[in-house]
Each structure stands twice: as structure tokens, then as C-alpha cells.
Amino acid sequence: MSDRFVFNKDKIWSRRQLLKLGLIGAGASSAGLLWLSLNQRSKSQILIPPIDSDIPPEENKPMKALRNFDYGTIKQENGRKIREFRITAKNETINLNSAVSFNVWTYNGQVPGPTLRAKVGDRVRIIFLNRGGHSHSMHFHGTHPAASDGVRPVTNGKETIYEFDAEPYGVHLYHCHIEPVTRHIAKGLYGMFIVDPPSPRPPADEMVLIMAGYDTNGDHKNEFYAFNGIPEYYLDHPIRIYQNQLVRLYVLNMIEFDEAATFHIHANFFKVYPTGMTLQPSYESDVITMGTAERHILEFSYKYPGKYMFHPHQDITAEHGCMGNFEVIETSKT
């Protein structure tokens, strides 16, 4: 690999420098598309209920975040495949309910940020542009060189590159690491990073649920909680799944100001793959406890149709927005 892609310093790159290096632009390799095609083909047996078309797109972000995975753009450079992602930090306003709006800091205009996905061993490149008005960064959990650790501030209007091999396989995350880190995360700068194992896991209806809180009055306590950004969204708009079909849930706790949170599903049990770093489940339960930034893969299927709640077992967290329903649909009705 050319020295121009070896970052031995935390260097902030201007857009002109990125253009000079040929990093602005898109290209796709047949090898990268083949892995994505095989990954998607393995899921072709899985039935995905349609999203409710009556919900306006701007109000439907949590439902889209549920099953949307960003595989990046595949490029070939010096004989090696690069999986490239483009992330921009900027400011947005979201409605937490009909009466309360909140100014958030976002990756690519959404909270949580996009779910980035790669295969173990992929060379991953993140081109990060900060248009958020404050210094921000992207720190990835996983294994990578110090130069790509994302702890150096990227000032407003600047770009930088994080580049590393995706390892180990599992469920990881990324977030802003600029002090005070708690504030940057609580304002919305976080997302999930999935690294798939060498061979795909069995076909399943794959979904992402990220728990987070909102401190709306600056007292370092959360007044609202949410799955995938909006309080009570999945209570009002249940997640439709099919009866007797395997669900693979990637769940992450990003609640700041609370020491831990639980996750519980009603009328069922799930198999637990801690941090997603095993191919066999470690145990089964109907409730798990996670500290901030802890995450797991949970697998389950529902035997009976109907609506079933999911929520943290801390009542105050659930009652202030972190509550949802699975709506199990009979397969015969598809």
C-alpha cells in the first residue's frame, strides 16, 4: 500500500488534499459487490413486512434505521479493496414528541448515525467532514492503529480520514470522543459498526435497536429515552415481524447519565451472543443488563401472532419513551 494511506499522525486533511489524493469520487469492485450480493442472497428466504406507507418519510427515520445497513462504496487501490464511507457531522432539530423539540448533533443528519457494516478483514476508510459548528471526531470500537483512534478534534469545516482493517468480527460502535464526551454522545453523535464474520450467519430478519437518552434541560439527567432516536416511536408504530421466523437483533446501549440499562422482551426468550463475537450463543434469557456502550446480538422467533412489548426493565426509562411493540404476523397472511 502506498505511503499516502499510512497515517502515522492524527492529520486533518483539507478537501483540496483529499481531491489531490483521488479520494473524492466513487467506484465499485466486482469482489466487493459479490460479497454484498451473497450476503443479500442468503437473506432472500427471509420475509420483511412492508413499512407503513402512510407515515411521511421525515417522520419514519426510526423505522428505516431499523433495517438499513450502509455497506459503503467499494474501491480498488494498489491491488487492494477499500470499503469507503462518507460521514458528515452537522446540526439538526428533532421532535421528541408533539410538544418538545431538541437540537441534536448528527452523523449524516440522523440520530443514531448510519449503521456501518463491513466484513472482517476489509480495509475500511471513513472520510469524515465536520460541519457541526463545534470540534467533533469519530472514535471506533474494535482494533486499529492509534492514528485512526479518533480522539483528536476535527474543527468545524475540516475533513480527516480514519483508515483501518475491520476487526474483530462482532457488534461494535462509533461515537464522538471530544470532551465532554458525555455531552457529544448525549446530543446524538453515535452509531453502530457491524463487522461480519468470514462466513455469513444463518438467514434472519436483521434489525438494529439502539437505546439512548435525552437531557433536555442540561441537568445531566435524562428527561426522555428512545430506541433509534424517537421516544415511543415503536409503541405507536410496532415493528412488524413474521411468525416462526428468526429475528437477529443487534442491540446497543448508548444511554448516558445512567449507569446501566436492561433490555427485555415479553412472552419469549432470546439467545445471547455477547458483543456479537461468538458464532454460538452463550446463554438464553428474556432480559439482559448492559452498561453504556455495551452491545450484543439477540436471536429469537415468536411462536404466536399478536403484539408483544419490548423495553428496559427500569420502569422510569420505559415510561419516559424507551418502549416498543413487536407485531407478529401470521406467515399464512403474506
Side-chain angles (χ1 to χ4, degrees):
M1 178 173 291
S2 168
D3 287 343
R4 66 181 181 172
F5 299 130
V6 178
F7 296 90
N8 53 15
K9 296 181 181 179
D10 281 345
K11 184 173 182 180
I12 309 302
W13 294 75
S14 69
R15 190 166 185 83
R16 180 176 295 179
Q17 288 171 313
L18 294 173
L19 283 164
K20 208 171 179 182
L21 291 176
L23 301 183
I24 303 298
S29 74
S30 58
L33 291 176
L34 176 61
W35 172 70
L36 178 56
S37 174
L38 290 172
N39 210 33
Q40 291 174 333
R41 195 180 306 163
S42 71
K43 298 178 178 64
S44 62
Q45 318 163 44
I46 298 300
L47 299 173
I48 306 298
I51 293 177
D52 191 343
S53 59
D54 293 336
I55 306 173
E58 64 274 9
E59 298 176 10
N60 211 21
K61 289 183 178 180
M63 199 63 78
K64 291 182 177 178
L66 191 68
R67 294 184 174 98
N68 275 11
F69 301 97
D70 185 350
Y71 291 89
T73 299
I74 306 302
K75 307 180 78 172
Q76 288 284 349
E77 294 178 2
N78 300 318
R80 184 168 188 184
K81 180 180 73 176
I82 309 290
R83 188 174 298 277
E84 185 177 281
F85 300 90
R86 295 177 178 277
I87 304 293
T88 300
K90 51 186 176 180
N91 302 331
E92 303 280 346
T93 300
I94 63 173
N95 295 321
L96 300 181
N97 59 29
S98 59
V100 179
S101 61
F102 186 63
N103 295 323
V104 290
W105 298 344
T106 73
Y107 290 124
N108 285 5
Q110 62 186 72
V111 177
T115 298
L116 309 184
R117 194 159 184 175
K119 183 179 179 181
V120 66
D122 281 353
R123 188 69 169 182
V124 173
R125 175 185 297 149
I126 295 92
I127 300 176
F128 174 60
L129 170 63
N130 182 12
R131 294 198 183 281
H134 304 267
S135 291
H136 293 307
S137 73
M138 292 184 71
H139 164 69
F140 283 79
H141 287 218
T143 304
H144 48 251
S148 291
D149 200 36
V151 295
R152 181 174 177 178
V154 180
T155 56
N156 183 52
K158 299 293 185 178
E159 285 186 316
T160 194
I161 298 171
Y162 307 111
E163 187 166 320
F164 51 87
D165 294 335
E167 57 182 356
Y169 73 79
V171 186
H172 307 304
L173 65 143
Y174 61 90
H175 59 85
C176 185
H177 212 290
I178 303 306
E179 294 183 2
V181 178
T182 296
R183 181 168 187 253
H184 286 246
I185 293 176
K187 292 283 282 184
L189 290 174
Y190 58 86
M192 186 176 285
F193 176 44
I194 298 173
V195 179
D196 287 311
S199 298
R201 298 178 189 270
D205 182 359
E206 295 192 326
M207 293 181 277
V208 169
L209 283 179
I210 302 179
M211 297 187 288
Y214 292 103
D215 171 19
T216 57
N217 60 11
D219 64 353
H220 292 185
K221 296 178 181 178
N222 293 309
E223 285 70 50
F224 294 90
Y225 296 88
F227 287 107
N228 290 354
I230 304 297
E232 296 187 349
Y233 185 88
Y234 300 117
L235 196 61
D236 298 330
H237 309 287
I239 298 171
R240 296 169 178 166
I241 59 177
Y242 283 116
Q243 177 185 13
N244 296 319
Q245 180 170 259
L246 181 64
V247 171
R248 178 171 299 120
L249 185 62
Y250 299 86
V251 62
L252 164 64
N253 174 24
M254 287 305 290
I255 299 174
E256 291 287 354
F257 307 120
D258 294 13
E259 291 183 0
T262 55
F263 179 82
H264 168 60
I265 63 174
H266 280 210
N268 209 343
F269 284 78
F270 43 69
K271 297 178 179 179
V272 183
Y273 299 75
T275 319
M277 293 177 65
T278 64
L279 297 178
Q280 298 297 325
S282 298
Y283 61 97
E284 293 189 41
S285 182
D286 64 351
V287 62
I288 54 172
T289 302
M290 298 181 292
T292 304
E294 196 167 353
R295 63 275 184 194
H296 303 302
I297 291 176
L298 310 179
E299 289 187 348
F300 57 91
S301 62
Y302 270 93
K303 185 176 180 179
Y304 305 107
K307 286 186 180 180
Y308 301 92
M309 283 186 175
F310 61 88
H311 55 83
H313 231 294
Q314 291 86 352
D315 289 343
I316 191 170
T317 307
E319 291 168 359
H320 285 77
C322 216
M323 175 80 74
N325 281 313
F326 291 115
E327 182 177 358
V328 181
I329 303 169
E330 292 182 48
T331 309
S332 61
K333 292 184 178 180
T334 61

